[in-house]
Amino acid sequence: MSSRPSRSSASPQALPPASIAAVALFALMALVIGAVTVASFPRAPVMSFRVLVYSGAAHGSRETVRAGVDAVRELGARNGFGVEATEDPAVFEDAGLARFQAIVFNNTAGTAEGAAEGDDGLDEQGRAALRNYIRAGGGWVGLHDASAGAGDWDWYEGLVGATLDRSAPVQPGRVEVLDHAHPSTVTLPDLWERTEDRYDWRTAPVTRVHTLAQIRVRDGITGRDEGVGHPWSWCQDYDGGRSWFTAGGHAPSAFRSEGFLAHLLGGIEWAAGAKPGDCTATRAGSFRRTRLATGGPGDPVDVAVAPDRRVFVARRTGELEVVDQRTMRVSRALDFAYGPGTALSDGLIGLALDPGFSENHWLYLLRPDTVGRRLVLSRFTAGQDTVNPASEKRLLTLPGRRAQDGDSLSPTGSLAFDREGRLYAATGDITLPLNAGGPNDLRGAILRITPQDDGTYTVPEGNLFPPGTAGTRPEIYAMGMRNPYRVTVDPVSGTLLAADTRPDGTAGYFRITGAGQIERPFLCSGGVPRGAAACVPRVSGAPDATGPGGITMSGPVYDYDAGSLHRTGFPEYFAGKWLTYEPVGRRFTTLSFQRRARTSAGPRPGTVAAGELQSVDGVFEDMEWNRPTAAVFGADGALYVVDAGRDDGAGDDESAGVFRIDHVGLGRLPGAAVTADRDNGPAPLTVAFTGAGSGLPAGEPVTYAWDFDGDGGTDSTEANPSYTYRAEGRFTARLTVTGPAGTTAVAGQDITVGNTRPRISVQRLPDGGLFRPGDSMDFTVDVRDEEDAGTTPVDCSRILVRSQVGRPGALRPLPRSRGCGGSIVAEAGAVTPGLYRVTVRYTDRGGPKAPELTGSASLTLRTALQEAERFTSTGGAHGGAVAGNRADASGGRTLTEIEDGDWIAFDPVHLRGIRSVTVGATPCGLGGTVEFRDGSPDGPLLGSSRVPGAGLGGGDVSPTTELRIPGGGGRLYVVFTNPAWSSEKPDLFAVDWLRFAGPGAGKPGTG
């Protein structure tokens, strides 16, 4: 870089951006005091703030640079802010920059790289001044080529948010506007037509910044990467200041567009601090998750939040619980006592609170009847922490069935109210007879009724069949869905929203604006767009978690309340967006819809109808989930989520629970977390607590207040105290964390005194064992209960075994043992390749004052045929293998980009009963060896197979190797080698599947 002209010591001193508020207040006071005098003279224009437009070392044409300068000057003249423009980098000094509230990088990255000849970039002193300016609270605006980057300046690349990789030719296209609240996008249409050169980024900035608008990649734009993740404009709070970027502004014509000028004006005003706008809604770390209730003794399946923030939780085993968020106490309000043998399609199914709950305290439950084979929709009256069973009013009773032992089907019902007080009840058809779903059958449909005060209901006008129509039921509102697991209602438009999984495995998203036979959902599957939808790929690119298949759940639509006093409600960005989630995919997404019809001249001429799906975008991608099965917004603007856990909620699964998600933005609110070294045992019981994970970032001071016994007092102010419980019963230890500004967070932990959780172990069935369809797998269950002390035989009927594969038979007592035995039969031809969970739980009988406790254990079984792309992990010197799509591959995907030393791992795997393994491979590259190793990539060699290189004739190959079986189970590594490989040579080969041979974990079934 060239040397910088000397800076004059006479440069005027100016206040840093952080002092602007004080200056404005002083000016306002002076204006009031001197009002009479001022009124006597002509008034000069008042500059609300000042902006510097910097075009030094510009990458764009001179015409574009001049158009950018003129546009910002005109915006300043129209909107009352001052503008200065320069190409001289000498302005980048602390005193010079402090005069401005925002700096516009006008098609320049501040570096001489790629700039016009003779232009200078920022030297080290200039870079330091820009950094100091941002850290003092200044604002930065980047136009188009400001993203060209400074390859040796990571801080600047972070300020921009992304670095240009390549651009497509100038061509017409559309931009999807996602944020309709930010001042830079509030006036823009949902689909905005732009003729631009389209940028691809070296690394997509998604989750690091807040995306305001993104390129619509399905418009046939040429010359660009068609993958997902093409932000076009974004903003962020960065290193103490504010950063706003737009990829627009490629040519002088952009600065003659009123839409683009409005976009630019809003960006400048936000960056200067003149207009508010949230830029954290889609950034990682902007949300905090607080556990309100643990997995407990039964599956949590649905949740509802009262206006006073009490949280009602429905569990499949029949319990309805209430969480008081003030005390974190969990109370059992109602128990239908379906018993520990409740299967996944039994028990409580749906839960909803009446729209007038604050006054009438009514709640509605959808559940199987405790007697007979019926499904019941009932209304109950709730107290503060109890529900009176005698208050039941049965609105609907319809035929159903009780699940068989071992059924592992998903929830088959849902309840939701609309703004008119009409109740929608969805009843899926997975567990119902084939004739369900007819016009005179309430099963397999979405019903709509209007509950009445006396416990009856009326049928509203506009349902599918008018009352009195022969052979029909007037309660039916919509038909044609296979299994709408969850339904919701848009609180503003009143539109009914539902999601289900189609018979072909695609996810169907239904937006239902009127009664009818539903036939045309938005479809998507596996990250590949289908129909009108766009699907978001898995965050890590790894295959789905446990088990094949998947379920799509319809979550809530956010109703933003600008007047809410709750500081942690979701921001306005989410207003009107439909939140959906996948229990197996373990992800949340937001669906945005076209708010108004819009006619387009190109690139795809025609009218885009109101309600058409606009985009599908990931959210909470920095949070790990197990099996989210229900989600609702509370009146406080927070999201409440039920996570069924890794073991489908069996036992006291610590991975399951009910969570509240708060928007914390920049993290200025404290967090609270409670950990205990034990949560059960005989009295007296001493428990060591810790508040680790609580507090504020950067170690800012907070205070702790512990209430161990639930009496409302403070028992300790230490961060990591201990407490001795001497009385029996269940207690909720509560921790309140308070920040410097008086903001608080609360967390709780249940402690059971007088009962010890049973210990469960599963024997004879190895964790990670392999099986084939038709196999019968024997196992035994051993239960140790401290209170029984070896004197009482285990009641095998109280042991519940759940299996994602086959059906476990009834357990029987084992001779001369306190254990129980049984078997699992994998039905022939009905098993999809993959891994499957088996969970076992036992609930004891509790004590005189102590509640019952449930112990659980789980293990994983694998099919003998394993899809190679469904690995647990991958790695190696060259980054590991990649799962890619291939239409003719088993399962539609195959393992690609395999280089020397790459490996995949499967965990857990137990090779008991396995003699050999066959590799299904494609010789499409250099060729090499497939090694099977125990425990690590360089662990003991168990066997190896050779895959030939391409060009040797023939198609796919399937070499087989015998396996030397290790002593136990664990992690199996599949290592790919060829020392002759180099980066100039092709990959080794592709791998489709692995087939293990031998009796495996079971024995051939008998039928």
Side-chain angles (χ1 to χ4, degrees), residues 28 146 218 275 308 387 435 500 517 519 534 595 702 744 758 945 954:
L28 178 61
R218 301 185 305 283
K275 281 192 175 179
D308 62 5
V387 172
N435 62 355
D500 78 346
Q517 180 78 21
E519 297 176 348
R595 296 175 300 169
V702 295
T744 62
S945 294

Side-chain angles (χ1 to χ4, degrees), residues 493-506:
S493 69
T495 299
L496 178 66
L497 302 168
D500 78 346
T501 301
R502 314 294 290 171
D504 62 356
T506 59

Side-chain angles (χ1 to χ4, degrees), residues 537-544 869-872 874 881-884 893 895:
R538 302 291 180 246
V539 175
S540 64
D544 293 347
E869 70 273 8
R870 297 182 67 86
F871 52 80
T872 304
T874 184
V882 173
R893 306 185 79 193
L895 205 63

